Every structure is written in structure tokens, then in C-alpha cells.
Amino acid sequence: MENVIRIKTPITTEEVRKLKARDSVLITGEIYTGRDAAHKRLIELLKSGKELPIDLNGQIIYYVGPAPAKPGYASGPAGPTTSYRMDPYAPELLKLGLKGMIGKGTRSKEVIDAMKENGAVYFGAVGGAAALISKSIKKVEVVCYEDLGAEAIHKFYVEDFPAIVVIDSEGNNLYETEPKKYKIK
């Protein structure tokens, strides 16, 4: 990859605002995982006035349910899940300082508006490259909701996790701009 931007977590709003749609990034540091069942539980905690089991300030959540690890590996294949399933929950988490989300597929207007308001970014990870992505995962720890199995919230330590900025903090969106370039006139 040429012109790759290296990111270390946690990330600041200032760092996020420098990222632009189409940037290729390599992420190093701790990131959390979570899918819709875990997101629902987080929002239920917030609604009941309780503290979250994780501090989201400056953090990135990867929408993934990792497969079991083979001997000698920290994680099994770990490809992204479809992000729109987290859209009902994402705006509230962005208000708490979440700075990045990694997944695949489009996001709702409400999520994009919350990203712009709170200085966050949406990264795309390549579906179908789960085995390749898992090579960047060096350590895995279940943080909470172990009863959800692969959908529990995990803390991954990643080195050079490959992603692309799909939607930046200004709302520039590759899902809108790129298809137009290939439209037959």
C-alpha cells in the first residue's frame, strides 16, 4: 500500500479529523469488538444509568464475531460483519467518545450525522479477507458478555490492521462518491 497512514489507538478527535475518505490505514493498538447483541446491552446499561464495562473515549470498535483460534494464533478468521445492524446504537456510543468503527456496508444518515458532530470515522475492512485480517490480531481478551460467545466484547491488540476510511468525519462517503464514477452515461 502506498500513502498508508499509521494510526495508534486510542485516537483523538484531531487525528480523526485529518483522515479523509479513501485513506488507507494500518491500525496498531487496542480495539474492541462488538456486534448488535453486545451493542444492545451497552445501550440498555446507559438507559438504566449504569456505567459501561468499557471506556469508549478515543476507541475503535470492530464489528466482528471472531472464529475460534487455531493453535499458535491469537484469533481465528475475523472478517467484518454488516454495520447497519449497529446503526440504532452507534450515535449514543459516538457521544461517549467512540472515534472509529470498522465494518462493511453503508451507514444510516443518523450515524453519519453523529460522526460529523462527534468527530468520528467509519473504516471499511475487506469482507472475504478474514484469514488475512486475523494475522494482524496479536492478542485477544474477552472483556464482557462472555455468554454471547463469539459476539462477546473482546479487546484485540492489533498490529498493522488494514482498513480504508469509507466515511470521514466530514461525512464524505465512498459508498456515495465511488459508484458515480462507474456509471454508464
Side-chain angles (χ1 to χ4, degrees), residues 27-47:
I27 303 166
T28 296
E30 293 176 348
I31 62 175
Y32 290 104
T33 71
R35 289 177 46 171
D36 42 331
H39 277 70
K40 182 178 180 188
R41 288 188 185 180
L42 293 174
I43 297 304
E44 287 170 351
L45 280 176
L46 287 174
K47 285 181 179 177

Side-chain angles (χ1 to χ4, degrees), residues 5-183:
I5 298 169
R6 294 185 175 276
I7 298 171
K8 290 192 183 248
T9 63
I11 57 177
T12 66
T13 303
E14 294 74 30
E15 290 170 308
V16 167
R17 295 220 186 267
K18 291 178 185 174
L19 298 172
K20 301 300 173 202
R22 187 178 280 217
D23 285 346
S24 294
V25 299
L26 293 172
I27 303 166
T28 296
E30 293 176 348
I31 62 175
Y32 290 104
T33 71
R35 289 177 46 171
D36 42 331
H39 277 70
K40 182 178 180 188
R41 288 188 185 180
L42 293 174
I43 297 304
E44 287 170 351
L45 280 176
L46 287 174
K47 285 181 179 177
S48 68
K50 297 180 181 161
E51 272 192 45
L52 296 183
I54 56 176
D55 179 5
L56 293 175
N57 194 37
Q59 296 301 324
I60 296 172
I61 290 182
Y62 181 26
Y63 303 145
V64 64
K70 292 181 181 175
Y73 292 89
S75 175
T81 197
T82 305
S83 300
Y84 76 81
R85 295 187 353 234
M86 276 53 74
D87 283 3
Y89 316 110
E92 199 62 36
L93 301 180
L94 290 163
K95 288 178 191 172
L96 296 176
L98 180 65
K99 291 296 167 197
M101 300 160 287
I102 305 169
K104 66 179 181 183
T106 59
R107 304 309 301 266
S108 70
K109 180 185 181 322
E110 292 77 18
V111 171
I112 295 169
D113 288 346
M115 290 168 52
K116 290 167 31 179
E117 183 178 326
N118 296 287
V121 68
Y122 174 53
F123 299 103
V126 179
L132 177 63
I133 289 171
S134 70
K135 291 180 180 181
S136 68
I137 302 167
K138 303 303 180 185
K139 185 178 173 189
V140 175
E141 170 189 338
V142 175
V143 177
C144 58
Y145 310 139
E146 192 169 359
D147 62 301
L148 295 176
E151 293 193 39
I153 294 180
H154 297 80
K155 187 189 302 182
F156 282 2
Y157 180 78
V158 297
E159 290 178 3
D160 293 339
F161 181 103
I164 297 168
V165 178
V166 176
I167 305 172
D168 64 27
S169 63
E170 296 173 5
N172 298 306
N173 185 343
L174 295 186
Y175 288 117
E176 292 175 359
T177 60
E178 297 311 294
K180 293 176 186 173
K181 294 179 181 178
Y182 301 98
K183 203 171 196 174

